[in-house]
Amino acid sequence: MTFATEPRFQHGQAPKTGVLLVNLGTPESPTPAALRRYLGQFLSDPRVVEIPRVIWWLILHGIVLRVRPAKSAAKYASIWMKEGSPLRVWTEKQTTLLAGFLGEQGHQLIVKHAMRYGQPSIASQLDAFKAEGAHRILIVPLYPQYSGATTASVMDDVFSWGQKVRHLPELRTIARFHDDAGYIDALAASVRAHWASHGRADKLVMSFHGMPERTLHLGDPYHCECLKTGRLLAEQLGLKADEYVVTFQSRFGKAKWLQPYTEPTLRALAKAGTQRVDVICPGFVGDCIETLEEIAMEGKDAFLSSGGQEFNYIPCLNDRLEWIRALSSLVERHLQGWPTQRAEQPSAAVLAAQRELAKASGAQQ
């Protein structure tokens, strides 16, 4: 095996520590060609689709990638921001704000982001860390609830990169934070802020991304962790059992997925006389196609067309200061035991991050 060429070693250079935020990924543009590349990579991951490779290859290339890219491109176009894909925009902002928070605590860290599918890739960012002298890297998958299809897939890509590297850095990862107090507090703050502006609906629907039901029986903890997040959030908000419901969205294929399903639940609530619903997606820390199009658009249409009177989507945590503060605390706890440089004077990158932090703070006040 041939290993990648190592960056030139510099005597006397203090080892640095890096923090890599990793999100799912996004196409480069809302076009069929870009969606075909993105979906081809995403749906080829055996962690995502657990079907025998030969059978799935025929389905993927013979049907899915011929039909789905055009439909998905239209959906992405409906939510595309002027700065680009919402998921990319929010992930970049979270990275900048996190660097600012950590810099304010005196940490001299390299903070970057990567996408599991698409760009910037995990491998390219890990290479960049090494080039900047990082000997320790904390991997932070931005998935609150652990699943083999998400968190484990991120680490698969990290380990794949490691197989090509001669001098491996020390690596740590945050596997889950579904019950982290700061994360729950940030979710509760977002709901309370929404209630303060729009009033409180009859029911709070907490919609998580779905997974095939068989993954639960095979030992994946995702379903249980979603339910725990829902319970903790409800407790923080003082909700009774009949005032909220946990559901699962984004089904694909004909297999049985985790239930109850989000869209049928919204329709059933409307038909049963529920006039107003608030919907939040706690499993996503940044708004994306699944929240902005599938929930805020398709979910809204399902509820209103079934007799509901008012549908309100509560945005993801995005750049809320409560969330960035919680993320900073989470990262600091997982860095414990690693010597991190303390900056006497903030670097230019940290100063820029702190300016962005001050701007965001002013916008939310």
Side-chain angles (χ1 to χ4, degrees), residues 177-196:
F177 52 92
H178 66 290
D179 57 357
D180 176 75
Y183 159 67
I184 299 297
D185 287 345
L187 289 172
S190 71
V191 175
R192 292 193 186 101
H194 173 81
W195 285 349

Side-chain angles (χ1 to χ4, degrees), residues 20-26 28 41 88 91-92 112-126 157:
L20 181 64
L21 304 182
V22 184
N23 220 319
L24 183 76
T26 177
E28 293 297 311
Q41 183 185 11
R88 180 184 300 281
T91 304
E92 289 175 351
K112 298 180 182 293
H113 76 277
M115 298 295 181
R116 174 62 182 89
Y117 315 103
Q119 300 299 323
S121 68
I122 292 173
S124 68
Q125 295 295 64
L126 291 174
D157 212 32

